[in-house]
Each structure stands twice: as structure tokens, then as C-alpha cells.
Amino acid sequence: MKTARRPVVGVITDMRDLGGMAYQIIGDKYVQAVSQFAGCLPIALLSEQGRGGVDDLLALCDGFLFTGSPSNIRPWRYGDTAAGDGPFDDARDALSLMLIPAILRARVPALFICRGLQELNVAQGGTLQTKIPAREPAVEHHAPEDARYEDRYAPLHRVSLIEASPLADVFCAPSFAVNSLHYQALAKIGAGLTVHGYAEDGIPEIVAADGHPFAIGVQWHPEYRPELSAPNRALFEHFGQAVRARRDA
């Protein structure tokens, strides 16, 4: 009897300059979370200069993961005339902002993390705050840059789901602690998206596409050791279930 193939999750790459050469790279923690906690086969989504390949990617992948990154989206992509704060990744901007609307139309499962959440919002016509303003209560949204790796990904603040959110089962808790490593945040929410969770200071932290089987964005990093956080583990497990359902369909 033939064994069903592992469901395939395409993971977006970053374009980085390393020693004067362009490299397309993926953080290993995303790859391992997809494999170990979603139970899927991760493959790299590579930017092709001058080519989209969206239809090919939709045919190839049962699900998609848009990762966090040190880079920011170019402000002109969401109508802001400011120069903004780099680094930027034009290759990733071009692929992500073309691919995301197609994923939503095709109802393919997708998980959007940190920069990925911001890409989801911009792809749907939303905007970003390039600097998070001071609010009350005061909440830190970026761990110290000089902290040890483990400390940078330690819980930093809490996120709470809105009342009666249908995502309560996905996270298995109405409120929970998360890590935080972002300097920018969502401003105007994109078309067809709903905010399902906020930090204590009102910054949007969880967004989902309306009527989609699984298109969820989070502003923190659930891929960092999901075994340490029941909500993060549950998120990847539910993502894997959605991707398997897409494969089987």
C-alpha cells in the first residue's frame, strides 16, 4: 500500500548580502518547527528575478509559511512616502506581496510570522506603523539586541484574544505570554482581515483572513522552541492539520 506523501509547506526565503554576494536563506528554527510540530515537509520559496511563478508555487505547495526577518517592507509598498528604516528586502517584497493574495484566493493554508504578518496586512491594502508610539500601559515589543539568544526569545508580554474569537481552539488559551522582537506594527488593517488578539497596549498581535480555512498571522515568534509554549505548539499543530486537509482534498 502506497504511503501518502508528507504535505509540503513552502517557506519564504530572505535575500541577504553576505560578503558582497547575494544569498537566499531561511532561519533553521522555522524549518524545524514546520517539520517537527506541523508534521510537514518544508521547502524553500526562492525569489526569481523578473519571474513570479505564483501558479507553480500554488500547484507545488499544500501550505505556506512567511517567516520573520530583520528586514522591513519598503514603505512605498503601503503608500508611505518616508524613506523608512532598513534593512530592506526588495526581492522578498516582490514575491510575498504577489503570492499572498493568490494564496488567500485559492484558500491554501498559510501561517504568517512577524514580518510575515506585516506582509499579509500590506498585501491586503493595510499599512504599518514604522515606529511603535509610546502607549499606556507601557509594553516592550523588542527584546534587547545585546541579550543572549535564549533571552531574546524569552516571553516579554502577554497577548489576549478578543472575546468569542474562533481562534481560541487554535491557541488553546484566551491569554498567554509571548516573545517579541519587532519595531514596527500594523496600523490600518487590510481588507478581509480581522484582528483576533492584542498586546496589553492595544498593538494588534493576531490577525486572520475572514472565511479562510487557515490564514493566521502573529506578531511574535512561535517557531522558537514551540515545546516551551502550549499556545505556540498548538498553533503549529493546527497549521499542520490544515495543510494535511489541503493535501488530502
Side-chain angles (χ1 to χ4, degrees):
M1 182 177 177
K2 187 176 180 180
T3 303
R5 65 169 176 82
R6 289 172 72 192
V8 174
V9 170
V11 184
I12 195 76
T13 59
D14 292 333
M15 190 75 77
R16 301 275 185 88
D17 183 304
L18 300 176
M21 296 180 64
Y23 286 81
Q24 299 196 45
I25 65 173
I26 303 172
D28 184 62
K29 63 185 188 300
Y30 300 101
V31 172
Q32 300 306 327
V34 168
S35 177
Q36 297 179 31
F37 295 92
C40 301
L41 175 65
I43 64 170
L45 299 181
L46 303 174
S47 303
E48 297 180 86
Q49 198 169 40
R51 298 187 62 181
V54 167
D55 291 341
D56 293 335
L57 294 176
L58 290 175
L60 178 66
C61 298
D62 305 299
F64 293 89
L65 175 66
F66 291 80
T67 67
S69 172
S71 66
N72 291 319
I73 303 168
R74 290 277 187 187
W76 67 261
R77 297 272 188 183
Y78 47 92
D80 194 326
T81 58
D85 296 323
F88 299 108
D89 187 338
D90 294 311
R92 174 164 170 171
D93 284 355
L95 177 58
S96 294
L97 299 180
M98 180 169 47
L99 180 57
I100 289 170
I103 288 171
L104 298 185
R105 287 193 299 269
R107 296 173 60 79
V108 181
L111 178 57
F112 305 86
I113 294 174
C114 201
R115 186 197 209 266
L117 167 66
Q118 296 172 12
E119 288 170 331
L120 170 64
N121 195 52
V122 170
Q124 292 301 103
T127 62
L128 303 178
Q129 301 180 70
T130 57
K131 290 183 172 58
I132 300 174
R135 297 175 178 228
E136 291 295 336
V139 172
E140 290 293 331
H141 285 279
H142 199 291
E145 294 279 5
D146 59 353
R148 295 184 312 157
Y149 176 71
E150 296 83 359
D151 294 334
R152 279 187 285 131
Y153 285 92
L156 196 61
H157 66 76
R158 296 190 69 80
V159 168
S160 297
L161 289 166
I162 61 173
E163 187 174 355
S165 170
L167 301 187
D169 289 342
V170 172
F171 293 98
C172 74
S175 179
F176 46 91
V178 300
N179 54 39
S180 194
L181 291 99
H182 63 105
Y183 289 110
Q184 301 189 340
L186 306 192
K188 185 185 80 173
I189 304 303
L193 305 177
T194 296
V195 180
H196 286 265
Y198 294 89
E200 297 103 319
D201 59 357
I203 292 294
E205 294 274 338
I206 304 172
V207 167
D210 302 335
H212 194 285
F214 192 104
I216 297 174
V218 299
Q219 190 60 85
W220 68 94
H221 286 267
E223 82 285 351
Y224 174 75
R225 299 194 63 186
E227 73 274 13
L228 299 179
S229 165
N232 290 343
R233 181 170 192 146
L235 175 62
F236 272 98
E237 289 172 348
H238 279 82
F239 176 48
Q241 292 169 13
V243 175
R244 280 187 289 279
R246 173 75 181 188
R247 175 204 62 187
D248 296 342

